[in-house]
Amino acid sequence: MSIDFTRLALPGVQDLQPYQPGKPISELERELGISNIIKLASNENPLGTSAKALAAMADAVDQLCLYPDASGYQLKQKLAAKHTVKPEQITLGNGSNDVLVLLAEAFLCVQSRPVMSQYCFAVYPIATQAAGATPVMVDALPKNHPSMPLGHDLEAMLAAVDEHSKLVFIANPNNPTGSQLSSDDLRNFLQSVPPGQIVVVDEAYTEYASDDNYPDASQWLDEFPNLVVTRTFSKAYGLAGLRVGYALSNPEIADILNRIRQPFNVNSMALAAAEAALDDQAFIQLSCDVNSAGLDYLSAELSQLGFTPLPSAGNFVLVDMGEPAERWYQALLKTGIITRRVANYGLPDHLRITIGTEAQNQRLIGSLHDLRQTG
Ligand SMILES: *Cc1c(COP(=O)(O)O)cnc(C)c1O
């Protein structure tokens, strides 16, 4: 008798699709037998990794036979100073993805109805459904909204919050839309949410958000005990391959997360590299400068070519291709450029394109220009 193992899984897991990552360069190399491929698909830092972080990793190689410091003492000290919080307010994770999963595991059950926005980061529904909960997807703002097309509708999200929510997820800036909430709007939201419901503000792209009116929610932790802020070393810090991120919260929430995390969830290379990366703010500044020039260039050129790039506060741009984007995705692949399809987000006409180096951006625009000519 054959057993249907899918039926044995949690109902929420039965309905899940796996996270769809950007196509790895090595895979396209194998498929097309070409080299010189560029990947503008996963919002990685096109400048690579800070030289200081690389040097720290080389030093850490000697210690690989030992378990890492399970408490992440040194890294927490540095992060505490950076954010003016206590080390007890920090939860380190194997990428910020890990802390998002820990939050779901610790706070959700089958009765929970965590609130998130349409076009939110795909990990929120995955992590919450895997914990048995039923996500409440709140309609995003319309695509013709003047400042935040497809962005979070905070009023509607607030209306969706009740005692079953437990967790509310807000990405600022949001991926894949690039939309950004102002300080006033986010503060008003935090003031209005019932204090027994936890609000997770995911600041994975915060380093890139240059607008003066952009909030650093970590400064509000004392005021809002139900606030959790997540950060990552994967994006501006250029350490996506190492997997390290963290949550900032009140100490009680951090204590809860600490009870269920894997004891050694952040490896020793990642700890060493993250510490050193924090000391290299010149690298972050350069990354942001290259990004903002690239974003301006790409937005202008994409519009020129007849596409519709959305405003973005991150290191990527969501582009309305004006027709099903699959054809453009495939055509770009053949020229050795990997972008990101977002049909799984309900956006079949859009591509998400990571801002690259100046040369990479020019190559992308050149390819799109040629493809436009050949129809
Ligand atoms: C990339 C990203 C993350 C970070 O993921 P890591 O697990 O830290 O690599 C978190 N949130 C959003 C919205 C992202 O786009």
Side-chain angles (χ1 to χ4, degrees):
M1 197 182 84
S2 81
I3 297 169
D4 183 355
F5 288 103
T6 308
R7 291 280 127 213
L8 294 182
L10 290 183
V13 175
Q14 292 179 26
D15 295 341
L16 278 179
Q17 296 294 319
Y19 181 81
Q20 292 175 20
K23 195 180 192 60
I25 288 177
S26 55
E27 190 178 302
L28 188 62
E29 274 173 354
R30 282 197 301 275
E31 287 172 4
L32 295 185
I34 58 174
S35 55
N36 196 22
I37 290 166
I38 56 176
K39 183 180 176 209
L40 304 175
S42 301
N43 303 343
E44 294 139 338
N45 190 328
L47 302 185
T49 303
S50 145
K52 288 189 183 174
L54 293 175
M57 286 165 66
D59 287 346
V61 164
D62 289 347
Q63 305 289 313
L64 281 178
C65 58
L66 303 177
Y67 278 102
D69 172 6
S71 71
Y73 178 84
Q74 291 291 352
L75 179 55
K76 283 190 187 172
Q77 291 293 321
K78 282 206 166 153
L79 290 172
K82 173 181 164 72
H83 294 289
T84 49
V85 298
K86 298 192 231 38
E88 309 87 78
Q89 293 180 265
I90 303 169
T91 306
L92 300 179
N94 194 254
S96 54
N97 198 323
D98 188 22
V99 294
L100 296 170
V101 170
L102 292 175
L103 284 160
E105 287 178 345
F107 291 103
L108 302 180
C109 65
V110 175
Q111 284 75 33
S112 308
R113 300 280 179 275
V115 173
M116 57 198 73
S117 176
Q118 185 185 17
Y119 315 127
C120 68
F121 185 39
V123 166
Y124 311 156
I126 293 176
T128 54
Q129 272 181 247
T134 305
V136 175
M137 284 282 174
V138 176
D139 282 351
L141 293 169
K143 94 184 210 180
N144 62 356
H145 189 274
S147 57
M148 287 212 309
L150 309 182
H152 293 2
D153 182 342
L154 289 183
E155 254 174 67
M157 289 181 77
L158 185 61
V161 176
D162 64 18
E163 73 274 20
H164 300 293
S165 304
K166 297 294 194 286
L167 296 176
V168 181
F169 292 89
I170 291 181
N172 199 31
N174 183 48
N175 169 23
T177 58
S179 52
Q180 167 189 21
L181 297 160
S182 72
S183 283
D184 287 350
D185 290 349
L186 190 54
R187 265 190 78 87
N188 285 341
F189 181 81
L190 288 165
Q191 269 157 352
S192 311
V193 167
Q197 310 304 314
I198 294 172
V199 180
V200 182
V201 177
D202 178 343
E203 296 189 334
Y205 300 98
T206 191
E207 292 82 8
Y208 291 111
S210 52
D211 193 319
D212 285 345
N213 195 20
Y214 176 77
D216 168 359
S218 74
Q219 299 308 301
W220 300 339
L221 288 165
D222 288 345
E223 221 174 319
F224 302 107
N226 60 333
L227 170 64
V228 177
V229 178
T230 63
R231 296 280 186 111
T232 184
F233 286 92
S234 298
K235 305 287 160 57
Y237 283 94
L239 293 171
L242 275 186
R243 316 302 305 127
V244 51
Y246 56 100
L248 303 167
S249 66
N250 81 51
E252 203 178 327
I253 292 179
D255 172 57
I256 292 290
L257 299 179
N258 193 42
R259 294 180 199 183
I260 58 166
R261 74 179 172 90
Q262 288 184 39
F264 305 105
N265 60 337
V266 184
N267 70 69
S268 46
M269 286 285 218
L271 290 171
E275 276 171 47
L278 285 173
D279 288 337
D280 196 350
Q281 289 301 317
F283 177 77
I284 298 297
Q285 188 58 52
L286 178 65
S287 302
C288 292
D289 291 347
V290 168
N291 186 67
S292 99
L295 180 58
D296 288 349
Y297 167 79
L298 280 187
S299 301
E301 295 293 325
L302 288 163
S303 303
Q304 193 74 38
L305 285 167
F307 304 113
T308 311
L310 273 65
S312 174
N315 66 340
F316 57 90
V317 59
L318 186 67
V319 190
D320 185 347
M321 306 303 284
E323 60 176 319
E326 181 67 20
R327 161 172 110 76
W328 292 97
Y329 172 77
Q330 296 295 346
L332 284 170
L333 276 187
K334 294 210 181 78
T335 74
I337 301 176
I338 309 172
T339 59
R340 188 67 159 268
R341 289 173 290 193
V342 282
N344 58 323
Y345 283 87
L347 295 165
D349 289 0
H350 292 69
L351 284 182
R352 195 194 67 194
I353 301 176
T354 303
I355 314 302
T357 61
E358 190 179 358
Q360 290 174 338
N361 298 334
Q362 285 171 355
R363 187 169 142 199
L364 170 80
I365 293 300
S367 288
L368 285 172
H369 180 84
D370 294 348
L371 292 167
R372 264 272 192 247
Q373 301 274 301
T374 55

